[in-house]
Amino acid sequence: SIVLAENETLFLSDSSTLYHRRDVMLALYDGRATGRVFRFHMPTRTSEVIWTGLGFPNGLSLRGNTLRITLSR
């Protein structure tokens, strides 16, 4: 998932550090929580990992200043 905030910041989810997105079933069956969420600030082109150890984060939403994440377990 990708979400754009008002301050030109992107939030991106990475479902697994072990499997490619095309191997979604392997990542789900594996059961290890290796997903993460990044924050990318477009004007400075800098990024950082803001959450790790997530169980298949596959949905992000933004309401005001609150970032919400959906996990598939």
Side-chain angles (χ1 to χ4, degrees):
S1 287
I2 300 175
V3 174
L4 176 62
E6 291 179 10
N7 63 353
E8 297 186 50
T9 299
L10 288 174
F11 294 93
L12 307 100
S13 65
D14 179 18
S15 301
S16 172
T17 60
L18 302 174
Y19 299 98
H20 293 282
R21 185 71 173 163
R22 67 179 173 270
D23 297 321
V24 62
M25 295 310 293
L26 293 174
L28 287 172
Y29 290 139
D30 184 294
R32 288 183 274 182
T34 64
R36 54 196 175 165
V37 174
F38 294 88
R39 176 174 36 216
F40 178 73
H41 189 244
M42 294 188 307
T44 61
R45 302 187 60 79
T46 57
S47 65
E48 64 179 315
V49 177
I50 58 172
W51 281 315
T52 61
L54 299 172
F56 207 84
N58 58 348
L60 298 174
S61 65
L62 191 63
R63 176 181 273 184
N65 291 329
T66 303
L67 180 66
R68 296 173 189 250
I69 187 165
T70 303
L71 304 176
S72 175
R73 293 292 284 170

